[in-house]
Amino acid sequence: MSHDATTATTPGPGTVLHGVGVGRAGVVGPVVQVAGAPAVPADEPGTAPDQVEAVQERVAAAFDAVAAGLRAQADAASGPAVDVLGATAQMADDKALRKQTAAGIAGGSGPVSALDKAVDGFATMFEQAGGYLAERVTDLRSVRDRVVAHVLGVPEPGVPTLTQPSVVVGKDLAPADTATLDVSHVLAIVTELGGPTSHTAIIAGQLGIPCLVRVAGATGLADGTVVAVDAAAGTVEVDPAPEVADAFAQRAEVAAHLAEDHAPGATADGHRVLLLANIGTAEDAERAAAQAVEGSGLFRTEVLFLERETAPTREEQAATYARALRAFGDRKVVIRTLDAGADKPLKFATQPDEENPALGVRGYRLVRTVPDVVTTQLEALGDARRETGLEPWVMAPMIATPGEAHDFAAAARAQGITKVGVMVEIPAAALRADAILAEVDFVSIGSNDLAQYTMATDRLRGELADLIDLWQPAVLDLVAATAAAGQRAGKDVGVCGESASDPLMAVVLTGLGITSLSMAPVAVPAVRYAVKAHTLEQARAVGQAALAADDAPGARAAALAALAPGVADALGI
């Protein structure tokens, strides 16, 4: 595998590169390319039998140094960076990766070659698993590159010291690098690889930094080239005209003005739509609770479980849930039970022999293989409820049948939980939403997985982006059917996937009957404005326009055309 740095050949002025945007901001600034990985010697000599132990010790010391450096960065960091750096340090400590590398050295390979082969093996496995695990490949390769640098005695790769506000560009920026960026000097992040739900994209979103991923040709931009990065449009323009910066400045002014509105989410005629925050840790809860959100519509509890050798105890979990509940006080907090397995594997629970893990034992289905893990989590949630006197809304992921919904509701209510719901992310659940809602108090639509399963398309495959588009009419049909079932039952139907953060889609969802929208807090002001600019009847018209389209681009265009006058211009959509 080659690690040679890409030679920059800058596209000409006016060239526009396309990618997937995270956020809605636009910025103009000079490019700073991320330092490439150290070159692997093409003629690296093998390891002589009498040198095996010494070489193994040298590589082990390099792993130790990388892990220690990452942990030191985590100790000095705050916010989401702490978890990301800690997770990457754990990867550097991974016994299986070290063992495979040592075995390669024992077999006569040179140290870098042995490490490279071991990493390639794990990367292939991760990519085949897809989803969250596929996006950990970036972390894995970051660890490899750092260890290689230590073995070769050269500087570690990464972002150079920034001396002015810059657009950071790289093949695939490592989350550990993203977590330690000097945000005062980072205008935007652009990568050729990665996905919109990668660690890097998530951190950028939480920091309010516009980010573009899957931008082909980005590494061909020479240092110092001035580019316009438009996260909303998903574009990078080389040497933009002066009016582009003016338009971005106007958009920023509008965004700042929108952020001053702290009113509850509602249409122009007072129809309520709760605007909630997605969180993954108790720290996220405390940060989000300080902002103008009406609670949390998705607490991803798997963050507590990932990267651990054993499950967190009942007491550990209860303390975390209680902390999140206290952060929001009397505001709504929806806690999703463990959504792990398949693309988010657990060392103590995931089945090792699943040929198609995305369709295997994941989410609520863990009750079939490790029921104690599910039971302990519900016990901890009940403990947190009793300790705080606050009522969590608890939902299970990957529910496929009314029977599963019934069983989960019974188990949750046995722990004193009174607000019980399930995720709708499998088409079968949407098609049987009436029966499922008869068993639970609410449902929440995970639009990312619903699109993935409806269109039979891995949401991380860039070449299939047109199929996984959340505007696909088939996906909107299932959302509409679920919302209609909620209206018939008089029960809440929320959306906590990527759809909720898109102001245009938020109007569509409101018109279809969705009662709450949960997203990254930074997305709330624009969504609040878009919903508030329409009466319920107008939102219904926007929703019906999208449903009537034949394809995803047509659905978006129809919704855009049906928006109230001035809204699209105000939001830059």
Side-chain angles (χ1 to χ4, degrees):
M1 178 183 299
S2 173
H3 297 269
D4 293 337
T6 301
T7 301
T9 54
T10 302
T15 300
V16 177
L17 307 179
H18 296 270
V20 179
V22 178
R24 304 204 55 76
V27 298
V28 175
V31 165
V32 170
Q33 288 281 351
V34 176
V40 176
D43 55 350
E44 182 185 39
T47 301
D50 62 343
Q51 293 296 312
V52 166
E53 186 175 347
V55 172
Q56 288 176 333
E57 289 177 355
R58 181 154 61 95
V59 172
F63 271 113
D64 290 341
V66 169
L70 289 166
R71 281 194 293 269
Q73 288 180 304
D75 291 341
S78 62
V82 176
D83 293 329
V84 172
L85 289 165
T88 310
Q90 287 181 329
M91 188 167 282
D93 276 329
D94 187 79
K95 294 178 181 177
L97 177 59
R98 291 183 178 220
K99 184 176 180 180
Q100 288 271 68
T101 304
I105 294 169
S109 295
V112 175
S113 299
L115 172 61
D116 212 40
K117 183 176 180 181
V119 168
D120 276 351
F122 280 102
T124 298
M125 180 179 67
F126 286 6
E127 287 166 344
Q128 289 174 344
Y132 173 88
L133 198 56
E135 293 188 343
R136 294 305 308 276
V137 170
T138 301
D139 306 54
L140 180 62
R141 288 178 175 149
S142 170
V143 168
R144 174 200 60 197
D145 295 342
R146 291 166 185 265
V147 174
V148 167
H150 277 271
V151 171
L152 298 177
V154 299
E156 287 190 12
V159 182
T161 301
L162 302 177
T163 57
Q164 62 178 327
S166 306
V167 175
V168 176
V169 180
K171 192 76 173 179
D172 195 0
L173 190 63
D177 289 325
T178 311
T180 54
L181 285 173
D182 177 0
V183 295
S184 66
H185 281 78
V186 179
L187 294 174
I189 295 171
V190 177
T191 66
E192 285 195 346
L193 302 178
T197 58
S198 67
H199 272 153
T200 294
I202 290 170
I203 293 172
Q206 290 175 325
L207 295 174
I209 299 171
C211 177
L212 262 68
V213 298
R214 298 191 180 280
V215 182
T219 55
L221 297 166
D223 282 335
T225 302
V226 175
V227 295
V229 179
D230 190 339
T235 59
V236 178
E237 182 179 357
V238 179
D239 290 334
E243 52 265 30
V244 173
D246 294 338
F248 287 168
Q250 291 176 0
R251 188 191 303 179
E253 288 180 13
V254 170
H257 175 69
L258 297 182
E260 295 174 358
D261 184 357
H262 294 178
T267 60
D269 52 348
H271 174 74
R272 291 281 283 117
V273 181
L274 290 181
L275 303 181
L276 309 168
N278 291 341
I279 60 174
T281 65
E283 291 79 9
D284 287 348
E286 290 163 352
R287 284 188 294 272
Q291 302 183 50
V293 299
E294 298 173 79
S296 173
L298 175 62
F299 183 173
R300 301 181 179 95
T301 61
E302 58 271 14
V303 176
L304 288 168
F305 292 76
L306 296 173
E307 308 297 342
R308 294 183 60 128
E309 297 289 340
T310 59
T313 65
R314 174 174 173 175
E315 292 74 20
E316 286 179 273
Q317 292 186 57
T320 297
Y321 307 144
R323 185 175 165 189
L325 290 171
R326 288 194 184 98
F328 285 104
D330 59 359
R331 286 178 281 178
K332 181 176 182 178
V333 178
V334 182
I335 301 175
R336 183 178 68 188
T337 57
L338 183 59
D339 186 15
D343 61 342
K344 288 172 278 192
L346 300 177
K347 294 180 180 178
F348 50 87
T350 299
Q351 305 300 299
D353 56 352
E354 289 187 307
E355 294 183 2
N356 196 339
L359 303 180
V361 181
R362 59 167 295 196
Y364 176 69
R365 297 172 182 181
L366 290 172
V367 75
R368 300 167 182 254
T369 56
V370 283
D372 289 349
V373 171
V374 180
T375 300
T376 299
Q377 185 169 31
L378 290 176
E379 290 171 344
L381 286 163
D383 293 343
R385 174 183 177 272
R386 286 183 289 273
E387 179 186 339
T388 62
L390 299 169
E391 193 66 56
W393 295 51
V394 178
M395 63 181 180
M398 286 297 289
I399 292 292
T401 68
E404 288 181 336
H406 171 84
D407 292 346
F408 175 73
R413 288 170 181 147
Q415 299 302 327
I417 299 165
T418 61
K419 292 289 188 180
V420 183
V422 301
M423 293 285 291
V424 173
E425 24 189 10
I426 299 174
L431 293 170
R432 299 291 292 164
D434 286 296
I436 284 176
L437 278 161
E439 301 291 347
V440 296
D441 305 302
F442 70 97
V443 298
S444 186
I445 298 171
S447 56
N448 300 340
D449 268 331
L450 183 61
Q452 175 172 244
Y453 289 122
T454 301
M455 304 306 296
T457 303
D458 186 339
R459 65 190 192 191
L460 297 179
R461 300 297 302 186
E463 64 269 33
L464 301 178
D466 59 315
L467 294 179
I468 202 63
D469 194 320
L470 298 174
W471 288 93
Q472 282 287 353
V475 180
L476 293 178
D477 284 342
L478 292 175
V479 172
T482 305
Q487 290 177 327
R488 288 189 291 271
K491 295 179 179 180
D492 288 334
V493 177
V495 170
C496 60
E498 192 69 23
S499 291
S501 64
D502 179 346
L504 178 57
M505 180 66 85
V507 178
V508 171
L509 296 173
T510 298
L512 297 181
I514 295 301
T515 59
S516 67
L517 301 167
S518 192
M519 65 205 82
V522 71
V524 170
V527 169
R528 177 186 286 111
Y529 172 83
V531 172
K532 191 176 181 178
H534 298 80
T535 64
L536 180 57
E537 193 60 34
Q538 287 174 317
R540 286 172 175 161
V542 177
Q544 290 306 310
L547 284 179
D550 293 328
D551 55 27
R556 189 182 188 281
L560 191 60
L563 280 184
V567 174
D569 288 340
L571 294 176
I573 57 178

